[in-house]
Amino acid sequence: MTSDAEIQTALPAFASGNVAVITGGASGIGLAAAKRFAAMGMKTVIADVDGARLDQARQALAAIGGDDAVRAIAANVSYIDDVDRLADAAYAAFGAVSVLMNNAGVGNNPGKPWENRVAWRRLMDTNFWGVVHGVEVFAPRMLAAGKPGLIINTGSKQGITTPPGNLAYNVSKAGVKTFTEGLAHALRNEPGAKVSAHLLIPGFTYTGLTEGATEKPAGAWTGEQVIDFMLASLIDDDFYILCPDNEVTRPTDEKRMAWAIGDIIENRPALSRWHPDHKDAFAAFMDR
């Protein structure tokens, strides 16, 4: 694990006393991030829709950094007014925000492309528009502060390889990927900007979205492992923070992603990895 001293030397945004805001901060990757940041002496502001979990998370963070260094705000990131209120509360309590993690997400599967438009919209409002709202509200203030800052948006490998199973989730995370790429470009071309954007791409991680799991599966990473990997990657100034897990290595991920883009280059059927006519070719590709 990278030491706090190494992180804070390489990344001034994580300096003790600085402020981090984490959405979806009451559990999973978000809570793991908040706990690590609090342990580094940062002031943490977490937001979530789950009131009971939010209060438990606040208590856990207070035990690490003290009551005066944590705020827990009930907020639904799909509503811009809630995100405005979150920002106002963070700035009123602690001042300038140095680290923003747009991490809130839901995974409920609304079904086929022609089914359940209301549930599709609800998922997109949280997973995609929640990220957009966070950037819209916080980025101008972070830029105006003139301090080193980081905006970290939580994506997913499913937004890159788009496997069958939960199309709405794939679409939302593909949108987060594209949006964050454009955000990074815009920030590095903003005169005087000291804020950078990064895409966190977790592997199989045991979180509140892990369906049907009452305990951590052997193949999954913990949220803490994801955050350790994220911090080490940020020191290297990685934009794509592509996490492995206990089942899938980075070379395997890279091959799967290369095959996915190859569908366009080779003019194969969409999602050919799961097409019976291309099953053997994909297996041979992965064995190279």
Side-chain angles (χ1 to χ4, degrees):
M1 183 174 74
T2 308
S3 73
D4 293 351
E6 290 176 284
I7 295 162
Q8 292 171 320
T9 298
L11 300 166
F14 288 105
S16 179
N18 279 3
V19 181
V21 175
I22 306 105
T23 67
S27 63
I29 292 170
L31 180 56
K35 287 180 175 179
R36 184 68 189 278
F37 300 164
M40 289 193 283
M42 298 187 75
K43 297 169 182 175
T44 55
V45 181
I46 57 171
D48 211 289
V49 296
D50 190 322
R53 279 188 175 180
L54 187 61
D55 187 58
Q56 291 173 359
R58 183 197 62 77
Q59 293 178 45
L61 293 170
I64 297 170
D67 278 317
D68 292 342
V70 60
R71 295 291 185 274
I73 310 297
N76 184 334
V77 297
S78 66
Y79 299 119
I80 187 68
D81 289 348
D82 276 22
V83 182
D84 278 326
R85 184 167 50 80
L86 169 63
D88 288 344
Y91 278 82
F94 300 132
V97 171
S98 296
V99 177
L100 170 66
M101 279 192 70
N102 289 308
N103 173 73
V106 295
N108 298 334
N109 188 350
K112 297 174 183 176
W114 53 83
E115 294 178 340
N116 208 345
R117 172 168 47 87
V118 172
W120 268 76
R121 187 179 298 278
R122 188 181 304 119
L123 185 148
M124 291 293 296
D125 281 348
T126 298
N127 290 8
F128 176 72
W129 282 105
V131 172
V132 176
H133 291 161
V135 171
E136 179 183 341
V137 169
F138 281 91
R141 296 194 194 191
M142 294 174 72
L143 288 166
K147 296 174 57 179
L150 297 165
I151 298 174
I152 304 161
N153 296 335
T154 301
S156 171
K157 294 174 188 179
Q158 289 181 228
I160 302 172
T161 58
T162 61
N166 190 338
L167 179 58
Y169 184 82
N170 295 353
V171 170
S172 71
K173 292 300 185 177
V176 170
K177 169 185 173 290
T178 302
F179 177 78
T180 310
E181 289 168 338
L183 173 64
H185 174 80
L187 288 171
R188 68 174 174 255
N189 285 282
E190 186 71 15
K194 296 182 180 179
V195 180
S196 60
H198 305 266
L199 182 68
L200 176 61
I201 312 168
F204 181 22
T205 308
Y206 182 57
T207 71
L209 295 183
T210 308
E211 296 181 7
T214 56
E215 60 183 33
K216 188 185 84 65
W221 266 14
T222 63
E224 288 75 15
Q225 286 176 293
V226 171
I227 297 306
D228 288 344
F229 187 90
M230 180 190 82
L231 291 169
S233 297
L234 288 171
I235 288 176
D236 292 335
D237 197 29
D238 291 346
F239 170 78
Y240 299 101
I241 303 172
L242 179 62
C243 302
D245 53 50
N246 294 333
E247 288 183 342
V248 180
T249 63
R250 185 182 179 97
T252 296
D253 277 327
E254 289 173 352
K255 282 190 171 184
R256 289 172 175 175
M257 292 173 184
W259 182 272
I261 196 64
D263 281 352
I264 300 172
I265 298 168
E266 302 295 333
N267 197 26
R268 296 188 294 250
L271 301 183
S272 71
R273 175 178 159 191
W274 297 274
H275 192 295
D277 291 349
H278 295 267
K279 178 181 177 181
D280 292 342
F282 174 70
F285 177 80
M286 293 300 294
D287 285 339
R288 290 179 191 169

